[in-house]
Amino acid sequence: MSMRSLTLASLLLLAAVSPGAAEDQPTTPPAPASEPQWSEFQSPERGFAIEFPGTPKMTSTPVEGQNPLLQYEFQVSAGEDTVYSVVLFEYPPGKAPSPITNDFYVKLVNAYAKGSDSRLRKRGEATIAGRPGFEAISDGDSGKGKLNHLVDVVPVGDRIYMLVSAGPKGHATDDDAERFRDSFRILGDQTEQQPEAQSAANPPAQ
């Protein structure tokens, strides 16, 4: 039982034993769940902006065996089974992989799939925020059912951004996943206003 369910059960139990409650009193129907409130989050220190459905929690850790490489993560959970994250790998000046090869992208998204217990279904080059990058879609399981992941990788100088959203079946191609990906921009970047991105989720017309 989740903490939310445990709290709700405790409140229901408390209401059941509270004195003075008449059995024939009308009950108020529960309020409908509110829609997530999307707004742009900016991190000038980390050089990016993106829309989240809430306020992200930020963590930072050194990457084991890769010091002084740092990993930053900005994450928002939307409900019980949907998560939006920006993962940033920040290298010391001049130490980032260059040039970024297809093999590098493949290894990175394979590592994500392994770490998230999911299986890659699509992968390929993509344009994100007007920059060349890479996109993958993977499928996996959680304790509550199937999960669908959309993963985009955007290298920018000494930083590599990974945009990740995961949710129920079909999430990778739904409006919210695409909104999250398409709202990403590099602060101060003159290339951010570009035509609609081509990606694994939105391939070019044949």
Side-chain angles (χ1 to χ4, degrees):
M1 178 180 289
S2 67
M3 182 61 70
R4 180 179 177 185
S5 299
L6 181 60
T7 303
L8 180 59
S10 300
L11 290 173
L12 291 172
L13 179 61
L14 180 62
V17 299
S18 295
E23 292 184 2
D24 59 353
Q25 287 181 339
T27 59
T28 302
S34 59
E35 290 292 322
Q37 298 300 306
W38 287 81
S39 61
E40 183 175 83
F41 169 81
Q42 295 189 5
S43 176
E45 297 84 0
R46 306 278 76 86
F48 77 96
I50 195 167
E51 290 187 13
F52 276 107
T55 303
K57 177 182 178 182
M58 194 276 282
T59 58
S60 64
T61 55
V63 178
E64 186 176 352
Q66 297 288 328
N67 281 341
L69 174 61
L70 294 176
Q71 175 181 318
Y72 297 87
E73 183 168 7
F74 302 79
Q75 185 177 98
V76 169
S77 296
E80 296 184 350
D81 56 0
T82 305
V83 176
Y84 299 89
S85 299
V86 175
V87 180
L88 165 61
F89 301 100
E90 190 164 274
Y91 292 81
K95 299 296 185 182
S98 181
I100 302 290
T101 65
N102 189 71
D103 285 346
F104 177 88
Y105 287 128
V106 170
K107 287 179 181 178
L108 194 58
V109 296
N110 278 335
Y112 172 82
K114 182 178 179 180
S116 61
D117 292 324
S118 61
R119 179 179 57 84
L120 290 177
R121 175 160 52 88
K122 290 184 179 181
R123 69 186 190 197
E125 295 179 356
T127 301
I128 303 109
R131 291 177 171 270
F134 199 82
E135 181 169 277
I137 296 175
S138 65
D139 300 303
D141 294 304
S142 72
K144 298 178 181 177
K146 300 290 184 181
L147 281 181
N148 193 211
H149 306 249
L150 179 63
V151 183
D152 288 274
V153 183
V154 191
V156 182
D158 296 314
R159 293 166 170 162
I160 296 176
Y161 297 90
M162 180 182 284
L163 319 177
V164 178
S165 62
K169 184 179 179 180
H171 171 82
T173 55
D174 75 13
D175 291 344
D176 285 344
E178 293 181 356
R179 175 178 183 168
F180 180 67
R181 177 198 64 198
D182 295 344
S183 69
F184 177 77
R185 62 190 182 94
I186 302 300
L187 294 179
D189 192 352
Q190 299 303 308
T191 67
E192 62 190 39
Q193 298 298 327
Q194 294 289 333
E196 182 179 0
Q198 294 180 358
S199 66
N202 180 33
Q206 299 296 322

mmCIF file of all heavy atoms in Angstrom, residues 67-103:
data_model
loop_
_atom_site.group_PDB
_atom_site.id
_atom_site.type_symbol
_atom_site.label_atom_id
_atom_site.label_comp_id
_atom_site.label_asym_id
_atom_site.label_seq_id
_atom_site.Cartn_x
_atom_site.Cartn_y
_atom_site.Cartn_z
ATOM 1 N N ASN A 67 35.092 10.900 -12.328
ATOM 2 C CA ASN A 67 35.354 12.220 -11.754
ATOM 3 C C ASN A 67 36.332 12.977 -12.633
ATOM 4 O O ASN A 67 37.299 12.374 -13.132
ATOM 5 C CB ASN A 67 35.919 12.070 -10.326
ATOM 6 C CG ASN A 67 34.807 11.786 -9.328
ATOM 7 O OD1 ASN A 67 33.658 12.039 -9.606
ATOM 8 N ND2 ASN A 67 35.175 11.258 -8.180
ATOM 9 N N PRO A 68 36.134 14.276 -12.837
ATOM 10 C CA PRO A 68 35.131 15.127 -12.183
ATOM 11 C C PRO A 68 33.826 15.288 -12.961
ATOM 12 O O PRO A 68 33.210 16.343 -12.924
ATOM 13 C CB PRO A 68 35.857 16.464 -12.076
ATOM 14 C CG PRO A 68 36.709 16.501 -13.307
ATOM 15 C CD PRO A 68 37.094 15.073 -13.587
ATOM 16 N N LEU A 69 33.389 14.266 -13.714
ATOM 17 C CA LEU A 69 32.105 14.321 -14.400
ATOM 18 C C LEU A 69 30.978 14.337 -13.363
ATOM 19 O O LEU A 69 30.948 13.517 -12.451
ATOM 20 C CB LEU A 69 31.952 13.109 -15.318
ATOM 21 C CG LEU A 69 30.595 12.939 -16.019
ATOM 22 C CD1 LEU A 69 30.292 14.124 -16.917
ATOM 23 C CD2 LEU A 69 30.583 11.644 -16.829
ATOM 24 N N LEU A 70 30.034 15.291 -13.518
ATOM 25 C CA LEU A 70 28.906 15.418 -12.597
ATOM 26 C C LEU A 70 27.604 15.104 -13.320
ATOM 27 O O LEU A 70 27.449 15.396 -14.510
ATOM 28 C CB LEU A 70 28.831 16.828 -12.018
ATOM 29 C CG LEU A 70 29.984 17.260 -11.112
ATOM 30 C CD1 LEU A 70 29.820 18.719 -10.693
ATOM 31 C CD2 LEU A 70 30.052 16.372 -9.868
ATOM 32 N N GLN A 71 26.679 14.500 -12.592
ATOM 33 C CA GLN A 71 25.343 14.232 -13.117
ATOM 34 C C GLN A 71 24.333 15.020 -12.301
ATOM 35 O O GLN A 71 24.297 14.926 -11.077
ATOM 36 C CB GLN A 71 25.011 12.742 -13.032
ATOM 37 C CG GLN A 71 23.574 12.419 -13.464
ATOM 38 C CD GLN A 71 23.258 10.941 -13.356
ATOM 39 O OE1 GLN A 71 24.078 10.099 -13.713
ATOM 40 N NE2 GLN A 71 22.072 10.621 -12.861
ATOM 41 N N TYR A 72 23.525 15.809 -12.990
ATOM 42 C CA TYR A 72 22.425 16.544 -12.363
ATOM 43 C C TYR A 72 21.119 15.943 -12.858
ATOM 44 O O TYR A 72 21.004 15.568 -14.029
ATOM 45 C CB TYR A 72 22.467 18.022 -12.743
ATOM 46 C CG TYR A 72 23.693 18.755 -12.267
ATOM 47 C CD1 TYR A 72 24.865 18.773 -13.033
ATOM 48 C CD2 TYR A 72 23.700 19.431 -11.050
ATOM 49 C CE1 TYR A 72 25.998 19.442 -12.600
ATOM 50 C CE2 TYR A 72 24.836 20.116 -10.617
ATOM 51 C CZ TYR A 72 25.975 20.114 -11.391
ATOM 52 O OH TYR A 72 27.101 20.776 -10.959
ATOM 53 N N GLU A 73 20.133 15.859 -11.977
ATOM 54 C CA GLU A 73 18.821 15.370 -12.385
ATOM 55 C C GLU A 73 17.740 16.289 -11.844
ATOM 56 O O GLU A 73 17.739 16.654 -10.669
ATOM 57 C CB GLU A 73 18.571 13.943 -11.908
ATOM 58 C CG GLU A 73 17.229 13.390 -12.394
ATOM 59 C CD GLU A 73 17.081 11.896 -12.188
ATOM 60 O OE1 GLU A 73 17.965 11.290 -11.541
ATOM 61 O OE2 GLU A 73 16.086 11.329 -12.663
ATOM 62 N N PHE A 74 16.812 16.664 -12.736
ATOM 63 C CA PHE A 74 15.650 17.483 -12.396
ATOM 64 C C PHE A 74 14.430 16.635 -12.706
ATOM 65 O O PHE A 74 14.229 16.233 -13.859
ATOM 66 C CB PHE A 74 15.640 18.762 -13.229
ATOM 67 C CG PHE A 74 16.881 19.614 -13.071
ATOM 68 C CD1 PHE A 74 18.051 19.288 -13.738
ATOM 69 C CD2 PHE A 74 16.863 20.735 -12.252
ATOM 70 C CE1 PHE A 74 19.193 20.071 -13.597
ATOM 71 C CE2 PHE A 74 18.006 21.524 -12.110
ATOM 72 C CZ PHE A 74 19.167 21.197 -12.784
ATOM 73 N N GLN A 75 13.601 16.335 -11.706
ATOM 74 C CA GLN A 75 12.539 15.340 -11.896
ATOM 75 C C GLN A 75 11.227 15.793 -11.271
ATOM 76 O O GLN A 75 11.190 16.379 -10.192
ATOM 77 C CB GLN A 75 12.959 14.009 -11.280
ATOM 78 C CG GLN A 75 11.975 12.877 -11.537
ATOM 79 C CD GLN A 75 12.477 11.564 -10.972
ATOM 80 O OE1 GLN A 75 12.087 11.158 -9.881
ATOM 81 N NE2 GLN A 75 13.356 10.892 -11.712
ATOM 82 N N VAL A 76 10.153 15.481 -11.990
ATOM 83 C CA VAL A 76 8.786 15.707 -11.502
ATOM 84 C C VAL A 76 7.988 14.430 -11.717
ATOM 85 O O VAL A 76 8.013 13.849 -12.810
ATOM 86 C CB VAL A 76 8.095 16.869 -12.239
ATOM 87 C CG1 VAL A 76 6.604 16.910 -11.911
ATOM 88 C CG2 VAL A 76 8.734 18.201 -11.869
ATOM 89 N N SER A 77 7.291 13.977 -10.680
ATOM 90 C CA SER A 77 6.365 12.848 -10.802
ATOM 91 C C SER A 77 4.960 13.397 -10.996
ATOM 92 O O SER A 77 4.521 14.266 -10.237
ATOM 93 C CB SER A 77 6.417 11.967 -9.550
ATOM 94 O OG SER A 77 7.688 11.375 -9.414
ATOM 95 N N ALA A 78 4.259 12.910 -12.003
ATOM 96 C CA ALA A 78 2.892 13.331 -12.281
ATOM 97 C C ALA A 78 1.979 12.135 -12.040
ATOM 98 O O ALA A 78 1.854 11.265 -12.899
ATOM 99 C CB ALA A 78 2.767 13.836 -13.706
ATOM 100 N N GLY A 79 1.387 12.058 -10.862
ATOM 101 C CA GLY A 79 0.602 10.887 -10.510
ATOM 102 C C GLY A 79 1.506 9.765 -10.046
ATOM 103 O O GLY A 79 2.664 9.972 -9.687
ATOM 104 N N GLU A 80 0.977 8.546 -10.090
ATOM 105 C CA GLU A 80 1.704 7.402 -9.543
ATOM 106 C C GLU A 80 2.566 6.687 -10.562
ATOM 107 O O GLU A 80 3.416 5.879 -10.191
ATOM 108 C CB GLU A 80 0.709 6.409 -8.924
ATOM 109 C CG GLU A 80 -0.044 6.976 -7.723
ATOM 110 C CD GLU A 80 -0.943 5.940 -7.082
ATOM 111 O OE1 GLU A 80 -1.113 4.853 -7.683
ATOM 112 O OE2 GLU A 80 -1.465 6.209 -5.995
ATOM 113 N N ASP A 81 2.373 6.950 -11.862
ATOM 114 C CA ASP A 81 3.082 6.144 -12.850
ATOM 115 C C ASP A 81 3.665 6.953 -14.007
ATOM 116 O O ASP A 81 3.992 6.398 -15.049
ATOM 117 C CB ASP A 81 2.145 5.067 -13.415
ATOM 118 C CG ASP A 81 0.872 5.658 -14.004
ATOM 119 O OD1 ASP A 81 0.724 6.895 -13.977
ATOM 120 O OD2 ASP A 81 0.032 4.886 -14.502
ATOM 121 N N THR A 82 3.812 8.274 -13.846
ATOM 122 C CA THR A 82 4.368 9.113 -14.901
ATOM 123 C C THR A 82 5.451 10.014 -14.317
ATOM 124 O O THR A 82 5.237 10.652 -13.288
ATOM 125 C CB THR A 82 3.278 9.969 -15.571
ATOM 126 O OG1 THR A 82 2.225 9.110 -16.036
ATOM 127 C CG2 THR A 82 3.842 10.745 -16.747
ATOM 128 N N VAL A 83 6.595 10.037 -14.975
ATOM 129 C CA VAL A 83 7.747 10.803 -14.473
ATOM 130 C C VAL A 83 8.387 11.557 -15.634
ATOM 131 O O VAL A 83 8.502 11.034 -16.745
ATOM 132 C CB VAL A 83 8.801 9.872 -13.827
ATOM 133 C CG1 VAL A 83 10.031 10.666 -13.396
ATOM 134 C CG2 VAL A 83 8.209 9.139 -12.635
ATOM 135 N N TYR A 84 8.785 12.795 -15.360
ATOM 136 C CA TYR A 84 9.504 13.615 -16.331
ATOM 137 C C TYR A 84 10.838 14.017 -15.724
ATOM 138 O O TYR A 84 10.886 14.501 -14.586
ATOM 139 C CB TYR A 84 8.700 14.872 -16.670
ATOM 140 C CG TYR A 84 7.345 14.575 -17.279
ATOM 141 C CD1 TYR A 84 6.220 14.393 -16.468
ATOM 142 C CD2 TYR A 84 7.183 14.464 -18.656
ATOM 143 C CE1 TYR A 84 4.981 14.115 -17.016
ATOM 144 C CE2 TYR A 84 5.946 14.179 -19.219
ATOM 145 C CZ TYR A 84 4.846 14.007 -18.388
ATOM 146 O OH TYR A 84 3.618 13.720 -18.938
ATOM 147 N N SER A 85 11.927 13.819 -16.484
ATOM 148 C CA SER A 85 13.254 14.107 -15.946
ATOM 149 C C SER A 85 14.149 14.742 -17.003
ATOM 150 O O SER A 85 14.064 14.411 -18.188
ATOM 151 C CB SER A 85 13.956 12.824 -15.462
ATOM 152 O OG SER A 85 13.241 12.189 -14.446
ATOM 153 N N VAL A 86 14.998 15.651 -16.540
ATOM 154 C CA VAL A 86 16.136 16.098 -17.329
ATOM 155 C C VAL A 86 17.374 15.625 -16.583
ATOM 156 O O VAL A 86 17.582 15.969 -15.421
ATOM 157 C CB VAL A 86 16.178 17.630 -17.480
ATOM 158 C CG1 VAL A 86 17.466 18.053 -18.204
ATOM 159 C CG2 VAL A 86 14.962 18.137 -18.247
ATOM 160 N N VAL A 87 18.174 14.788 -17.254
ATOM 161 C CA VAL A 87 19.429 14.313 -16.685
ATOM 162 C C VAL A 87 20.548 14.999 -17.462
ATOM 163 O O VAL A 87 20.579 14.959 -18.693
ATOM 164 C CB VAL A 87 19.560 12.783 -16.786
ATOM 165 C CG1 VAL A 87 20.885 12.321 -16.193
ATOM 166 C CG2 VAL A 87 18.384 12.106 -16.087
ATOM 167 N N LEU A 88 21.446 15.652 -16.735
ATOM 168 C CA LEU A 88 22.525 16.407 -17.363
ATOM 169 C C LEU A 88 23.871 15.847 -16.923
ATOM 170 O O LEU A 88 24.139 15.723 -15.721
ATOM 171 C CB LEU A 88 22.416 17.885 -16.966
ATOM 172 C CG LEU A 88 23.642 18.778 -17.215
ATOM 173 C CD1 LEU A 88 23.994 18.816 -18.694
ATOM 174 C CD2 LEU A 88 23.395 20.178 -16.674
ATOM 175 N N PHE A 89 24.696 15.495 -17.904
ATOM 176 C CA PHE A 89 26.075 15.096 -17.642
ATOM 177 C C PHE A 89 26.963 16.292 -17.981
ATOM 178 O O PHE A 89 26.991 16.738 -19.126
ATOM 179 C CB PHE A 89 26.461 13.881 -18.487
ATOM 180 C CG PHE A 89 25.588 12.686 -18.248
ATOM 181 C CD1 PHE A 89 24.560 12.373 -19.132
ATOM 182 C CD2 PHE A 89 25.783 11.871 -17.139
ATOM 183 C CE1 PHE A 89 23.743 11.270 -18.910
ATOM 184 C CE2 PHE A 89 24.971 10.767 -16.917
ATOM 185 C CZ PHE A 89 23.952 10.465 -17.801
ATOM 186 N N GLU A 90 27.651 16.804 -16.984
ATOM 187 C CA GLU A 90 28.455 18.012 -17.170
ATOM 188 C C GLU A 90 29.942 17.670 -17.023
ATOM 189 O O GLU A 90 30.391 17.254 -15.957
ATOM 190 C CB GLU A 90 28.042 19.083 -16.158
ATOM 191 C CG GLU A 90 28.650 20.441 -16.434
ATOM 192 C CD GLU A 90 27.931 21.540 -15.674
ATOM 193 O OE1 GLU A 90 26.915 22.052 -16.184
ATOM 194 O OE2 GLU A 90 28.363 21.869 -14.556
ATOM 195 N N TYR A 91 30.670 17.856 -18.115
ATOM 196 C CA TYR A 91 32.098 17.541 -18.154
ATOM 197 C C TYR A 91 32.926 18.787 -17.834
ATOM 198 O O TYR A 91 32.464 19.924 -18.029
ATOM 199 C CB TYR A 91 32.491 17.047 -19.544
ATOM 200 C CG TYR A 91 31.917 15.708 -19.937
ATOM 201 C CD1 TYR A 91 30.617 15.595 -20.426
ATOM 202 C CD2 TYR A 91 32.679 14.543 -19.827
ATOM 203 C CE1 TYR A 91 30.093 14.363 -20.804
ATOM 204 C CE2 TYR A 91 32.158 13.310 -20.207
ATOM 205 C CZ TYR A 91 30.875 13.230 -20.689
ATOM 206 O OH TYR A 91 30.356 12.010 -21.058
ATOM 207 N N PRO A 92 34.161 18.602 -17.388
ATOM 208 C CA PRO A 92 35.071 19.744 -17.263
ATOM 209 C C PRO A 92 35.292 20.359 -18.650
ATOM 210 O O PRO A 92 35.131 19.671 -19.670
ATOM 211 C CB PRO A 92 36.365 19.116 -16.723
ATOM 212 C CG PRO A 92 35.957 17.805 -16.149
ATOM 213 C CD PRO A 92 34.781 17.343 -16.945
ATOM 214 N N PRO A 93 35.655 21.634 -18.708
ATOM 215 C CA PRO A 93 35.846 22.284 -20.015
ATOM 216 C C PRO A 93 36.780 21.500 -20.933
ATOM 217 O O PRO A 93 37.877 21.104 -20.542
ATOM 218 C CB PRO A 93 36.445 23.648 -19.641
ATOM 219 C CG PRO A 93 35.924 23.911 -18.262
ATOM 220 C CD PRO A 93 35.867 22.571 -17.590
ATOM 221 N N GLY A 94 36.274 21.237 -22.151
ATOM 222 C CA GLY A 94 37.080 20.557 -23.145
ATOM 223 C C GLY A 94 37.176 19.056 -22.997
ATOM 224 O O GLY A 94 37.874 18.405 -23.786
ATOM 225 N N LYS A 95 36.474 18.460 -22.029
ATOM 226 C CA LYS A 95 36.599 17.026 -21.765
ATOM 227 C C LYS A 95 35.415 16.201 -22.276
ATOM 228 O O LYS A 95 35.422 14.979 -22.167
ATOM 229 C CB LYS A 95 36.767 16.779 -20.263
ATOM 230 C CG LYS A 95 38.009 17.418 -19.653
ATOM 231 C CD LYS A 95 39.280 16.843 -20.228
ATOM 232 C CE LYS A 95 40.510 17.402 -19.530
ATOM 233 N NZ LYS A 95 41.779 16.873 -20.115
ATOM 234 N N ALA A 96 34.397 16.847 -22.815
ATOM 235 C CA ALA A 96 33.237 16.097 -23.307
ATOM 236 C C ALA A 96 33.612 15.309 -24.553
ATOM 237 O O ALA A 96 34.525 15.698 -25.288
ATOM 238 C CB ALA A 96 32.091 17.051 -23.615
ATOM 239 N N PRO A 97 32.943 14.180 -24.806
ATOM 240 C CA PRO A 97 33.221 13.417 -26.028
ATOM 241 C C PRO A 97 33.031 14.286 -27.271
ATOM 242 O O PRO A 97 32.040 15.012 -27.371
ATOM 243 C CB PRO A 97 32.177 12.295 -25.989
ATOM 244 C CG PRO A 97 31.763 12.190 -24.561
ATOM 245 C CD PRO A 97 31.879 13.564 -23.993
ATOM 246 N N SER A 98 33.966 14.250 -28.180
ATOM 247 C CA SER A 98 33.867 15.035 -29.405
ATOM 248 C C SER A 98 34.705 14.372 -30.489
ATOM 249 O O SER A 98 35.889 14.073 -30.265
ATOM 250 C CB SER A 98 34.342 16.467 -29.163
ATOM 251 O OG SER A 98 34.228 17.243 -30.339
ATOM 252 N N PRO A 99 34.102 14.104 -31.635
ATOM 253 C CA PRO A 99 32.688 14.324 -31.941
ATOM 254 C C PRO A 99 31.813 13.253 -31.298
ATOM 255 O O PRO A 99 32.296 12.176 -30.948
ATOM 256 C CB PRO A 99 32.651 14.204 -33.466
ATOM 257 C CG PRO A 99 33.753 13.223 -33.775
ATOM 258 C CD PRO A 99 34.844 13.525 -32.779
ATOM 259 N N ILE A 100 30.521 13.566 -31.136
ATOM 260 C CA ILE A 100 29.566 12.580 -30.622
ATOM 261 C C ILE A 100 29.218 11.622 -31.756
ATOM 262 O O ILE A 100 28.731 12.041 -32.807
ATOM 263 C CB ILE A 100 28.297 13.256 -30.089
ATOM 264 C CG1 ILE A 100 28.629 14.253 -28.982
ATOM 265 C CG2 ILE A 100 27.316 12.211 -29.593
ATOM 266 C CD1 ILE A 100 29.089 13.640 -27.699
ATOM 267 N N THR A 101 29.480 10.356 -31.566
ATOM 268 C CA THR A 101 29.224 9.361 -32.605
ATOM 269 C C THR A 101 27.912 8.632 -32.356
ATOM 270 O O THR A 101 27.359 8.656 -31.241
ATOM 271 C CB THR A 101 30.360 8.333 -32.651
ATOM 272 O OG1 THR A 101 30.376 7.601 -31.411
ATOM 273 C CG2 THR A 101 31.711 9.018 -32.840
ATOM 274 N N ASN A 102 27.436 7.955 -33.383
ATOM 275 C CA ASN A 102 26.225 7.149 -33.242
ATOM 276 C C ASN A 102 26.428 6.055 -32.191
ATOM 277 O O ASN A 102 25.515 5.743 -31.428
ATOM 278 C CB ASN A 102 25.849 6.527 -34.579
ATOM 279 C CG ASN A 102 24.498 5.849 -34.556
ATOM 280 O OD1 ASN A 102 23.470 6.507 -34.490
ATOM 281 N ND2 ASN A 102 24.486 4.523 -34.618
ATOM 282 N N ASP A 103 27.646 5.485 -32.145
ATOM 283 C CA ASP A 103 27.925 4.454 -31.142
ATOM 284 C C ASP A 103 27.760 4.990 -29.730
ATOM 285 O O ASP A 103 27.275 4.280 -28.838
ATOM 286 C CB ASP A 103 29.352 3.917 -31.319
ATOM 287 C CG ASP A 103 29.483 2.990 -32.528
ATOM 288 O OD1 ASP A 103 28.438 2.572 -33.051
ATOM 289 O OD2 ASP A 103 30.621 2.714 -32.931
#
